Amino acid sequence: MDYTQKMMQADALKGKTIVVTGGGSGLGKAMTTYFLELGANVVISSRNQEKIETTARELEAQTGGKVLAAPCDVRHYDQVEALVKQANETFGSVDILVNNAAGNFISPTERLSSNAFDTIIDIVLKGTKNCTLAFGKHWIEQKQTQKVVLNIVTTYAWTGSAYVVPSATAKAGVLAMTRSLAVEWAKYGMRFNAIAPGPFPTKGAWDRLLPGNLKEQFDLAKKVPLKRVGAHQELANLTAYLVSDFSAYINGEVITIDGGEWLKGAGQFNLLEDIPEELWDMLEAMIRAKKGS
């Protein structure tokens, strides 16, 4: 069996409108592509307007679907409210929110400034909160039901992980919010679930996390019992199922898709304990150089 094959029936999301934060590249783009192929309209948001506009044109040509590229910094509630308004004006209503926007970098925590820590918290936790509140309140006020919120977390949301402490902290908060609102807002006709992916390499995110030849030195596939990393379509298949009506009785769950990685050893980055101090200096210099490019 080819695990990169598409899973859902062709019209599984027909008539749905889905907002994907961070939908312009990487896993967000993979999910958006599959949503479009299944008949949904999709709104993609990012701080990078040029990126999402390019992605929107590309995916519309590829799938024949409709994509709205809506610039938005999820850290700012007023911009998220503008996103809600633009999405509803364009497509009439929004059915599904996928909180995918994230940020991360690896570093010993003692090397982090307070601002660096806050940056990750603001994107991941505050950004997810902003989008969830803005869309959720709109749905409640408009008495719209059968809505779905899907949050992308990580396996270290419940185990914690060294060297990515801001991300682990933020993702743990997102997971708690997912489970809490699954109970509280079910009465309004909303479902909340989360996906915890293991290693699904994307060029942008993984180049920032492990620049240079560090990807070869720290091969995360070796930590996975299945001895491979995930294919983007595998994650897109799971995402499409969880936002579709076929999963209507799943609420408050976090689904792990990591090939058994977290069971083998909690925390994707704990292996970085073996990095000598001199290599951390080199890593920090490479990350700063890439950030400035």
Side-chain angles (χ1 to χ4, degrees), residues 2-274:
D2 184 355
Y3 53 81
T4 65
Q5 289 295 304
K6 298 174 175 64
M7 182 180 77
M8 304 287 286
Q9 63 187 46
D11 60 351
L13 297 175
K14 186 176 181 180
K16 304 283 190 183
T17 295
I18 305 174
V19 173
V20 182
T21 66
S25 59
L27 296 177
K29 183 178 179 181
M31 291 185 282
T32 296
T33 302
Y34 196 34
F35 294 157
L36 291 165
E37 291 172 345
L38 295 174
N41 302 314
V42 184
V43 181
I44 55 175
S45 74
S46 168
R47 289 175 291 168
N48 190 327
Q49 182 172 356
E50 182 179 356
K51 177 191 291 185
I52 57 175
E53 287 180 348
T54 299
T55 297
R57 290 193 297 268
E58 174 192 339
L59 296 186
E60 283 187 336
Q62 177 182 330
T63 66
K66 294 182 179 179
V67 184
L68 170 64
C72 177
D73 186 337
V74 296
R75 296 175 295 182
H76 302 294
Y77 194 73
D78 59 337
Q79 292 191 32
V80 175
E81 286 185 312
L83 172 64
V84 174
K85 181 178 180 181
Q86 187 177 4
N88 279 282
E89 287 178 348
T90 302
F91 293 116
S93 64
V94 171
D95 303 286
I96 297 153
L97 168 65
V98 179
N99 283 309
N100 171 69
N104 197 7
F105 44 74
I106 59 171
S107 174
T109 307
E110 67 271 19
R111 287 176 174 250
L112 292 174
S113 68
S114 178
N115 285 339
F117 205 114
D118 285 348
T119 296
I120 304 305
I121 297 292
D122 285 351
I123 296 172
V124 177
L125 181 54
K126 184 178 177 181
T128 300
K129 177 271 295 181
N130 284 343
C131 292
T132 301
L133 273 185
F135 279 96
K137 286 185 175 185
H138 175 79
W139 291 332
I140 293 169
E141 290 168 0
Q142 298 298 314
K143 294 182 170 54
Q144 297 178 1
T145 60
Q146 295 184 317
K147 305 301 182 181
V148 179
V149 177
L150 182 68
N151 296 324
I152 307 301
V153 295
T154 64
T155 52
Y156 56 70
W158 56 86
T159 65
S161 179
Y163 304 103
V164 285
V165 173
S167 174
T169 302
K171 292 291 191 181
V174 171
L175 183 54
M177 181 167 59
T178 303
R179 288 170 167 160
S180 300
L181 287 176
V183 175
E184 183 178 344
W185 281 2
K187 63 189 176 187
Y188 297 119
M190 297 183 214
R191 291 191 296 117
F192 288 79
N193 290 300
I195 293 176
F200 281 83
T202 60
K203 180 170 176 53
W206 286 77
D207 282 353
R208 289 191 297 272
L209 280 171
L210 298 171
N213 64 353
L214 284 175
K215 288 188 289 295
E216 286 70 43
Q217 294 185 46
F218 299 96
D219 184 0
L220 294 179
K222 293 178 181 178
K223 291 188 69 213
V224 179
L226 294 181
K227 300 302 180 186
R228 68 174 178 87
V229 296
H232 289 195
Q233 186 60 46
E234 291 180 279
L235 183 64
N237 284 340
L238 178 59
T239 305
Y241 169 68
L242 287 175
V243 302
S244 76
D245 294 339
F246 292 108
S247 65
Y249 202 50
I250 299 178
N251 186 37
E253 286 301 312
V254 53
I255 309 297
T256 302
I257 179 168
D258 74 344
E261 181 208 25
W262 89 273
L263 294 171
K264 185 175 180 181
Q268 290 178 10
F269 294 94
N270 285 346
L271 78 168
L272 298 177
E273 184 70 38
D274 297 329

